[in-house]
Amino acid sequence: MRETAYPDTSMGARGAALQAGGLLALCAYVFVAAAATLIFPFAFAIFIAPFLILILLLAPSGRAAPKRLIMPLVFSAAALMPFWPTYIHVSIGSLPILTPPRVIMYVLTAIWAYDMTVSPWRRAQFLVAVKRRPWLVGLVFGFFFLNAASVPLAEGKVMAAQAFFRQSIILLLPFCVFLTYVRRWRDFRLILILTTLSAVAVSAIALGEAATKTLLASKLSPFIGSDERWLQVVQAVKSRDGVFRAQATHTHPISLGEYLCFCAPLALAFMAEARWRRRWLWAGAFVLIVAGVVATNSRGAMLALVPGLGVMLFICLLRVMRDPARSAFRPAIGLLSLVMVAASPVFLYAAHTLVTGEAGTSAARSSQSRVDQVKMAWPKIEKRPVLGYGTGRAARIVGYVGRNLTLDNYYLTLAVDLGLPGPILFLLLLIALAQRSFGEAAIGAPQMQWVFAGLAAALAAFMLSRLVNSQTLNLNFFFPLVGAFLGASANASLRPPRLRFSS
């Protein structure tokens, strides 16, 4: 008799058992990850990390996204980010709000993630920027690592984890995007020009508000699709001691004043390097920006203009003193310096009066409230001098429960959120960036020297303005700008000096 042959199903059954076991293991992994994330929100990053590593290791190599697609998006984001009113947005759950510049940044982030996954060339560009500027890039990454490290010990871990998630999407990833894609000084220069021109447009709106005593937010109220408390604060007409305060597309006059103070030295730098008609146009832009600062009636912005414009004046004097063709102006400069030294007590008294305000006025109460905030926050800082109470928790920890308020000092906010290392690290970042700008101004090509000087002056103004402003709106364009500066700086250092600006 012929034996009947039966198929061997042992391997098929074993494979099915392995697949079922793998599926059960994956389900158990997801269940444990979800449970751990509910208890310990930062655990999500730990559980997702193996999958990200596998994707990077196993993903096939491919072509990078073309720069002709990326750079227009980069320039559009740079122009719109500080200009678009954030109160005109779409909100989806607890995710960050959606605005046109934010959507562009999300698209750029998605392209960057794709390039980091499939393109060895893009990964090499990113790593070159990190290796060429290790201290500066390390300060940025260290700042966000400190924010992440504060989450496990935070008072209110879920809220702190959400705050860090928003920081990563809105600040850290755009920094990485601009660090990777901005490779030339002329691209960085164009970003600064667009940022400054946006400031001119915003200043024009602020002056219109001051003339009509009507906020732009009130006119756009039909398009505001939310009734959150902070939007009610945005739409409220602001005045101090009877003086109207413009805010244009920003959510508060202080935020607008800080942005304009950052751009005023840049406008002055572009005016100094321009020729003929362009010089007059940039002079008009500078005057318009300064007028916008006055329209905000922000004392912090007015004070921040002093170091910003002072740095530019100091650089101008140095260039005149070093130029033999202008030696005739040296005695006049020396006399002017003596006059300024003699008048310094008057300037100090005026600055003190501006800061403190007259007794009984709103300005005096505002100054006293900032002093009170320090007194309220310091005992909290002493209890947790390292890692603090968790990122995004400062206002609640100090006592602003149930109110949509922030501490009016970013360094104080960082000290409560992250402990004393937080403000120290942020200050070191600003100082190091300003020092690098001065270095580039000394060795760079003539057509970029004034731009670097203007950037250093802008950083000096930003450093002071953060003393009276804890709002994060201007950080949205600040960190991408830092990434663009470091990316272009790292790439320029790979070339001989004469070829640095040739492409």
Side-chain angles (χ1 to χ4, degrees):
M1 295 179 60
R2 179 182 298 175
E3 294 183 0
T4 303
Y6 294 97
D8 186 5
T9 60
S10 60
M11 293 300 294
R14 186 179 301 173
L18 290 175
Q19 291 179 0
L23 182 60
L24 288 175
L26 180 61
C27 292
Y29 187 86
V30 172
F31 175 79
V32 173
T37 303
L38 290 175
I39 301 172
F40 179 57
F42 198 66
F44 174 79
I46 299 175
F47 283 96
I48 201 67
F51 293 98
L52 297 178
I53 294 173
L54 286 175
I55 291 173
L56 289 174
L57 292 177
L58 301 179
S61 297
R63 296 185 61 182
K67 292 293 288 289
R68 64 178 180 273
L69 168 67
I70 296 170
M71 296 314 295
L73 294 175
V74 168
F75 298 141
S76 300
L80 290 177
M81 187 62 68
F83 175 76
W84 184 268
T86 56
Y87 44 81
I88 304 297
H89 65 264
V90 176
S91 181
I92 303 176
S94 60
L95 295 176
I97 60 177
L98 295 177
T99 62
R102 183 55 53 199
V103 170
I104 293 174
M105 199 65 77
Y106 290 156
V107 172
L108 282 171
T109 303
I111 295 173
W112 178 82
Y114 166 81
D115 280 347
M116 290 297 102
T117 302
V118 305
S119 174
W121 172 245
R122 290 283 186 248
R123 289 197 294 269
Q125 286 182 329
F126 177 76
L127 292 175
V128 163
V130 173
K131 292 178 179 178
R132 287 280 170 174
R133 298 291 176 259
W135 288 105
L136 288 168
V137 177
L139 285 173
V140 176
F141 286 156
F143 177 73
F144 286 102
F145 175 80
L146 199 61
N147 279 271
S150 72
V151 174
L153 301 177
E155 288 194 6
K157 296 182 178 62
V158 174
M159 299 296 293
Q162 291 177 355
F164 177 70
F165 175 71
R166 287 192 295 269
Q167 283 184 358
S168 300
I169 293 178
I170 295 175
L171 304 180
L172 178 58
L173 289 178
F175 166 80
C176 296
V177 169
F178 278 62
L179 180 70
T180 304
Y181 291 130
V182 179
R183 314 298 299 168
R184 299 178 296 184
W185 281 130
R186 67 182 185 184
D187 292 338
F188 176 68
R189 173 190 170 85
L190 181 55
I191 289 173
L192 289 180
I193 290 176
L194 293 173
T195 302
T196 308
L197 291 178
S198 293
V200 174
V202 171
S203 296
I205 296 174
L207 293 176
E209 288 183 336
T212 61
K213 301 298 187 292
T214 303
L215 292 177
L216 177 67
S218 300
K219 295 295 184 180
L220 296 179
S221 58
F223 303 100
I224 299 176
S226 176
D227 57 355
E228 296 178 6
R229 172 61 182 162
W230 72 273
L231 286 175
Q232 298 174 16
V233 175
V234 168
Q235 297 178 71
V237 176
K238 299 171 181 62
S239 64
R240 183 167 56 208
D241 301 323
V243 180
F244 180 86
R245 306 184 68 186
Q247 64 186 38
T249 60
H250 284 236
T251 57
H252 197 277
I254 294 178
S255 175
L256 174 61
E258 181 182 59
Y259 169 51
L260 297 181
C261 282
F262 185 88
C263 293
L266 294 174
L268 200 59
F270 291 127
M271 182 191 74
E273 70 170 14
R275 302 289 182 186
W276 306 108
R277 293 180 180 179
R278 289 186 179 181
R279 175 167 291 182
W280 288 108
L281 290 175
W282 279 114
F286 171 73
V287 171
L288 196 61
I289 291 175
V290 173
V293 173
V294 176
T296 65
N297 193 24
S298 171
R299 294 171 299 157
M302 295 176 188
L303 289 175
L305 272 178
V306 175
L309 302 184
V311 169
M312 289 298 297
L313 178 62
F314 177 73
I315 294 174
C316 289
L317 292 179
L318 284 181
R319 296 195 63 161
V320 171
M321 295 292 286
R322 292 177 179 177
D323 189 357
R326 300 178 180 178
S327 58
F329 294 98
R330 293 174 183 174
I333 293 175
L335 179 61
L336 178 62
S337 300
L338 291 176
V339 171
M340 293 181 65
V341 171
S344 58
V346 178
F347 295 148
L348 291 176
Y349 177 77
H352 179 266
T353 303
L354 182 64
V355 171
T356 58
E358 296 182 5
T361 62
S362 175
R365 291 192 296 270
S366 177
S367 299
Q368 185 59 44
S369 69
R370 286 175 165 84
V371 176
D372 293 339
Q373 287 177 358
V374 175
K375 294 178 179 179
M376 294 164 61
W378 186 249
K380 306 287 186 180
I381 298 172
E382 287 182 322
K383 292 181 180 179
R384 290 193 179 185
V386 179
L387 294 182
Y389 295 85
T391 183
R393 305 298 296 156
R396 292 296 184 99
I397 295 301
V398 171
Y400 294 145
V401 181
R403 294 185 243 171
N404 189 40
L405 298 174
T406 60
L407 300 182
D408 295 323
N409 185 324
Y410 188 59
Y411 304 108
L412 184 63
T413 299
L414 291 178
V416 178
D417 282 350
L418 312 177
L420 294 176
I424 293 174
L425 200 60
F426 188 76
L427 268 174
L428 286 176
L429 173 62
L430 292 178
I431 294 172
L433 288 170
Q435 187 274 335
R436 186 67 203 176
S437 299
F438 274 119
E440 293 290 349
I443 64 174
Q447 62 267 34
M448 288 294 294
Q449 288 179 350
W450 281 114
V451 176
F452 294 134
L455 179 60
L459 289 169
F462 191 75
M463 194 181 307
L464 181 60
S465 66
R466 285 279 98 185
L467 281 171
V468 295
N469 181 20
S470 191
Q471 300 180 52
T472 59
L473 180 62
N474 290 322
L475 297 179
N476 294 353
F477 81 85
F478 173 74
F479 278 102
L481 192 66
V482 172
F485 174 64
L486 298 183
S489 173
N491 190 61
S493 64
L494 297 173
R495 305 176 184 175
R498 292 184 179 178
L499 300 179
R500 183 173 298 178
F501 301 94
S502 62
S503 61

